[in-house]
Amino acid sequence: MLYFADMNQVEHIGIAVKNLEASIAMYTLLLGVKPYKTEEVASEGVITVFFDAGNTKIELLSATRPDSPIAKFIEKRGEGIHHLAFGVDNIKKKIEEKKEAGFELINTEPKDGADNKLIAFLHPKSTGNILVEMCEEKK
Ligand code: ZN
């Protein structure tokens, strides 16, 4: 069977952080660039901060309320890499394709994400314990 790269790049890496200000300062030092965007996604109870890291982006994720998925993640697993996000051209089609390929989808319909994206997550139990996001730039 022939496979080809249909998740065309690691669009960003999502990192869960406890102390947003301290993390912004650390990543600014580490990457040598300041964040280019800060955006709250109220429906997810999260503030996102984006860094341009050359051929990918770093997305810091900080909870705004205790029942936020990010707060729960940090409670269970501590700070660290939260998800890998792959850029796709047609997210609706990709959701169907990944479902057919046997992956478990958390989102069977695209939803609004940060940074002008439509997003959908694959469940970590079908992807070797890594939360995988597919994202499509909104046109
Ligand atoms: Zn993301």
Side-chain angles (χ1 to χ4, degrees), residues 12 14 59 61 83 85 121 133:
H12 64 270
E59 175 186 35
L61 302 152
H83 64 271
F121 285 102
E133 174 185 328

Side-chain angles (χ1 to χ4, degrees), residues 77-125:
R77 298 174 61 170
E79 289 183 294
I81 292 181
H82 176 261
H83 64 271
L84 278 184
F86 292 93
V88 299
D89 295 328
N90 183 337
I91 194 165
K92 282 203 163 193
K93 196 172 139 216
K94 283 292 170 285
I95 288 172
E96 291 312 313
E97 283 176 12
K98 298 306 166 199
K99 236 195 304 191
E100 270 169 38
F103 291 98
E104 187 175 326
L105 275 295
I106 293 175
N107 310 106
T108 51
E109 286 294 324
K111 62 173 186 173
D112 285 330
D115 206 25
N116 195 41
K117 298 282 196 300
L118 287 171
I119 66 171
F121 285 102
L122 301 168
H123 199 287
K125 75 182 174 199

Side-chain angles (χ1 to χ4, degrees), residues 123-135:
H123 199 287
K125 75 182 174 199
S126 65
T127 52
N129 227 17
I130 303 284
L131 179 61
V132 173
E133 174 185 328
M134 300 188 288
C135 61

Side-chain angles (χ1 to χ4, degrees), residues 7-76:
M7 310 264 272
N8 56 25
Q9 63 162 333
V10 177
E11 210 278 334
H12 64 270
I13 299 167
I15 298 175
V17 302
K18 268 188 201 166
N19 182 326
L20 188 59
E21 290 315 308
S23 299
I24 289 172
M26 191 274 279
Y27 277 95
T28 299
L29 260 183
L30 181 69
L31 301 171
V33 290
K34 290 193 159 108
Y36 69 88
K37 186 188 265 187
T38 296
E39 191 179 337
E40 182 168 355
V41 184
S43 59
E44 300 289 316
V46 70
I47 293 179
T48 62
V49 175
F50 287 89
F51 289 85
D52 184 344
N55 62 0
T56 194
K57 298 166 188 163
I58 300 293
E59 175 186 35
L60 301 185
L61 302 152
S62 174
T64 56
R65 42 172 212 258
D67 67 338
S68 147
I70 292 301
K72 288 180 186 157
F73 175 89
I74 290 175
E75 213 177 276
K76 251 201 255 176

